[in-house]
Amino acid sequence: GDDVLVVANLTGEPAECYPVPVPSPGLWRVRLDSESAEYGSGLGTTRCRDAEAAIVGADGPQYQIGVTLGPWGVVVLSQDRAR
């Protein structure tokens, strides 16, 4: 199946480059960002971008991305399916 990440910021402060573990390497694409300006005025100041997974840790391959979230924001990310 496809892996989908849902990351939520449950604080009133923005989170810059918040480290999130991911199950596989490669590019993770933003599919929904609640901070997008298309959802209302006053939004769009803290945008999440697509992120390339980096290897972290010394106990075998573990991957992580940095996610930027607005206050009370939610981001959904996934990878493109290999064809």
Side-chain angles (χ1 to χ4, degrees):
D2 295 335
D3 294 315
V4 175
L5 300 175
V6 178
V7 185
N9 178 4
L10 303 178
T11 73
E13 299 294 324
E16 298 284 333
C17 294
Y18 185 79
V20 177
V22 294
S24 55
L27 182 65
W28 286 82
R29 294 193 181 275
V30 175
R31 306 303 182 178
L32 179 139
D33 181 355
S34 66
E35 187 69 12
S36 175
E38 63 191 73
Y39 297 121
S41 63
L43 297 173
T45 58
T46 309
R47 294 298 308 272
C48 187
R49 306 270 186 239
D50 296 346
E52 188 74 32
I55 296 175
V56 296
D59 298 329
Q62 298 173 11
Y63 305 99
Q64 169 179 300
I65 60 174
V67 176
T68 297
L69 298 123
W72 311 109
V74 175
V75 175
V76 176
L77 303 106
S78 67
Q79 292 183 300
D80 291 334
R81 182 180 290 197
R83 298 187 188 259

